[in-house]
Amino acid sequence: MRTRHRLLACATAALLGGAGALMAPAAATAQAANLLTNPGFEAGTLAGWSCAGNSGSVVSSPVHGGSRALAGAASSSDTARCAQTVSVQPNTKYTLSAWVRGSYTYLGVQGGTSTWTASAADWKQLTVSFTTGASQQSAEVYLHGWYGQGTYYADDISLDGPGGGGDDTEAPSVPGNPRATGTSATSVSLAWDAASDNVGVSGYDVYRDGTLATSVTGTSATVGGLTPSTSYRFTVRAKDRAGNVSPHSATVTATTGKDGGSGDRFVQAAPYLYLGWGNPPSPTEVMQATGIKWYTMAFILAQNGCNPSWDSQRPLLGGQDEAAIKAIRAAGGDIVPSIGGWSGNKLGPNCSTTEALAGAYQKVIDAYRLKAIDIDIENTDEFENAAVQDRILGALKIVKQNNPGLRTIVTIPTLNTGPNSWGNRLIERAHALGADIDNFTIMPFNFGGAADMYGNTVKATEGLKTKLVSTFGWTDQQAYNHIGISGMNDSSDAGEITTPQIWTQIRDWANSHDLGRLAFWAVNRDRPAWQFTSITAGFTG
């Protein structure tokens, strides 16, 4: 039984979302346009939609297109009906479509036709056509699930046809003064001056290198999922409710940073400190003796459902853990919490949706105004569980978007050759979901027998580097910058021995390859001379 604790995603929410409007020509007419406001939920809100009883929410997974979708939480007493009213023309044919997932999902127009599917395990498109009445000037379109059938998801919703306002064919003006307002290693933030239109601008489409990247209702947007140290070209088009679309704006060229929010690399030397185990040392005394500045504090688990607490029992605030964090910061240091671990009651399986898990992480972030969080994903309940992996990655994507500058770390087991099949899956899903993870830390120990701890650590790290390069398209150096090593001082659970000399070799190799993070389990075991902590303090990345 190892003393080190390590860390589901029935992604239960996806709303009407997705790619959004059909593109009209530069001098657009009022034909074949998507009349819906916020059709893809790419702004991250329900703007334009009304969902009964607060049953709808915007989610980042699962999605059919773009980075957002609608989740309708149907219950035993409510169908989670979400609707939008639009202006239409009389005696005119319209086509309504949506991509849906879930059981008994309905799409229709109020007072008119509808369609439904009994089961859609994967995305399925529903489509209906209708003709407005002789004097009809508005139509209410809707989606809903069915009583007791659980959450349905909807994405890429479209109502095609001429908008209300009769013969309006005037396109909005071109958005002015487009500009980049900020960059990170994986995102570019943009802003522009509002366009004008005779009947009002309904939104903007942002293009990256000629491809629609996101749709928003305001005059700013952040395009994520980009590659570090890469140049991109962006343009913006305005659109109105009649389906008219402006020409492209002037082009903005922006280059992503090397590996951080402002081009700086994320580097962290942070050995584990566990206040829930034995006789924990004074963190400030260790700081004074060794020069260490950061600690990885263990372990945040679940208490009474999806509620974060230290070891499932100590509150985030008002106890010994908060007192230790305040003391560490007063001494010029900081902490990153380790959420999860090998054993215990973890947040991943206990938080039923991606959004709920993100909310639990947010509680921890808010409690300590964190600069970084580490999710320690281990064992069969989280690491070897595809749903939990996706839930964790989706939640990290949400908190990364909601907390500019926050660094996210995932810590996982490894073979001596690199990630196993579950580790490879996690890395591939991080890329597919756009989770924007800053650091992938491996735990290179428990290989079995009298392992060569230096040689196997290097080999495992090289295996991880190769996987990151092939998955993300990074250079070798970019991949090294995103890697961390979390070792075990002295004897591992399998009896492998890492001496101070071996740990020094590992640290020096990590420095020579510009890795992003170095940790070990644990300061509690590093008595009396704090040798491993002192060695770790010499990690500069």
Side-chain angles (χ1 to χ4, degrees):
M1 181 72 180
R2 62 170 97 172
T3 50
R4 175 169 188 167
H5 304 268
R6 304 290 192 200
L7 210 54
L8 170 163
C10 309
T12 341
L15 233 50
L16 310 157
L22 297 178
M23 295 302 113
T29 67
Q31 297 178 352
N34 190 349
L35 303 183
L36 297 176
T37 297
N38 194 19
F41 293 85
E42 294 304 306
T45 70
L46 289 170
W49 297 91
S50 176
C51 296
N54 297 318
S55 58
S57 62
V58 177
V59 297
S60 58
S61 178
V63 298
H64 177 262
S67 59
R68 297 287 191 277
L70 168 76
S75 66
S76 60
S77 59
D78 191 280
T79 62
R81 186 179 189 272
C82 293
Q84 181 175 150
T85 300
V86 298
S87 297
V88 295
Q89 296 182 18
N91 293 320
T92 303
K93 183 178 180 179
Y94 292 85
T95 299
L96 175 65
S97 66
W99 289 87
V100 301
R101 287 179 62 166
S103 300
Y104 293 91
T105 305
Y106 292 74
L107 172 73
V109 58
Q110 181 64 25
T113 186
S114 66
T115 187
W116 62 286
T117 178
S119 178
D122 201 355
W123 291 104
K124 178 178 181 179
Q125 189 175 36
L126 299 180
T127 302
V128 296
S129 295
F130 64 95
T131 301
T132 53
S135 60
Q136 185 175 353
Q137 296 185 359
S138 67
E140 182 185 60
V141 299
Y142 64 83
L143 293 107
H144 66 73
W146 198 246
Y147 301 103
Q149 296 300 315
T151 300
Y152 70 88
Y153 307 92
D155 201 354
D156 295 339
I157 305 164
S158 179
L159 178 62
D160 291 337
D167 297 326
D168 174 31
T169 60
E170 181 178 334
S173 65
V174 178
N177 191 27
R179 55 205 181 270
T181 58
T183 62
S184 74
T186 56
S187 68
V188 172
S189 296
L190 304 162
W192 54 90
D193 295 345
S196 60
D197 185 72
N198 62 321
V199 296
V201 173
S202 62
Y204 298 88
D205 292 330
V206 180
Y207 290 80
R208 183 195 71 209
D209 296 330
T211 300
L212 181 65
T214 187
S215 298
V216 297
T217 56
T219 56
S220 64
T222 296
V223 179
L226 307 181
T227 301
S229 303
T230 303
S231 179
Y232 294 92
R233 292 161 56 87
F234 300 92
T235 60
V236 184
R237 300 178 74 181
K239 55 191 178 184
D240 64 19
R241 292 179 68 90
N244 303 305
V245 184
S246 78
H248 287 272
S249 71
T251 299
V252 176
T253 300
T255 301
T256 50
K258 292 182 179 180
D259 275 290
S262 58
D264 59 314
R265 283 207 305 116
F266 174 53
V267 178
Q268 186 185 81
Y272 278 79
L273 174 68
Y274 187 20
L275 298 187
W277 174 33
N279 180 29
S282 164
T284 54
E285 289 182 9
V286 176
M287 292 171 71
Q288 292 169 359
T290 65
I292 200 71
K293 294 295 184 183
W294 280 80
Y295 289 103
T296 303
M297 281 187 62
F299 288 99
I300 287 181
L301 298 171
Q303 182 181 32
N304 299 325
C306 185
N307 186 50
S309 65
W310 294 101
D311 284 341
S312 295
Q313 55 188 316
R314 302 189 305 278
L316 296 179
L317 299 176
Q320 68 188 67
D321 305 274
E322 184 191 19
I325 293 170
K326 288 181 176 179
I328 291 166
R329 287 175 169 170
D334 211 338
I335 69 102
V336 54
S338 179
I339 303 175
W342 173 258
S343 61
N345 197 33
K346 304 168 195 174
L347 289 168
N350 279 279
C351 297
S352 60
T353 67
T354 301
E355 292 67 35
L357 183 57
Y361 293 163
Q362 191 65 51
K363 289 180 182 179
V364 183
I365 295 166
D366 292 343
Y368 306 120
R369 306 180 308 280
L370 294 173
K371 299 181 179 69
I373 60 171
D374 170 41
I375 312 301
D376 191 337
I377 310 172
E378 297 188 61
N379 219 327
T380 56
D381 57 346
E382 291 196 317
F383 185 59
E384 298 178 10
N385 186 313
V388 172
Q389 280 195 4
D390 286 357
R391 178 176 296 167
I392 291 170
L393 293 169
L396 287 175
K397 179 177 179 178
I398 291 172
V399 298
K400 188 78 176 286
Q401 292 170 337
N402 293 340
N403 299 271
L406 179 76
R407 306 306 183 99
T408 53
I409 305 160
V410 293
T411 299
I412 60 174
T414 184
L415 302 173
N416 63 359
T417 54
N420 66 8
S421 61
W422 285 105
N424 286 332
R425 182 199 183 276
L426 183 141
I427 292 167
E428 291 162 2
R429 292 298 291 159
H431 178 256
L433 295 172
D436 196 17
I437 303 301
D438 290 289
N439 187 277
F440 294 88
T441 294
I442 53 172
M443 297 176 284
F445 52 82
N446 287 353
F447 300 129
D452 171 7
M453 295 309 289
Y454 171 73
N456 281 326
T457 296
V458 169
K459 186 164 63 172
T461 307
E462 291 287 3
L464 173 59
K465 181 265 297 183
T466 299
K467 181 61 180 179
L468 295 179
V469 168
S470 65
T471 302
F472 291 94
W474 293 335
T475 64
D476 283 1
Q477 191 55 66
Q478 288 170 337
Y480 284 130
N481 294 161
H482 285 270
I483 288 175
I485 292 173
S486 181
M488 186 175 281
N489 60 318
D490 296 325
S491 178
S492 71
D493 300 319
E496 304 147 336
I497 301 298
T498 299
T499 65
Q501 292 74 27
I502 293 174
W503 189 240
T504 299
Q505 282 184 287
I506 292 171
R507 181 207 62 189
D508 291 346
W509 186 88
N511 277 337
S512 69
H513 287 75
D514 296 327
L515 264 60
R517 186 167 184 259
L518 188 66
F520 73 89
W521 179 261
V523 175
N524 302 53
R525 306 168 68 235
D526 195 24
R527 308 170 193 266
W530 318 118
Q531 286 179 286
F532 285 82
T533 308
S534 297
I535 295 166
T536 305
F539 173 71
T540 58

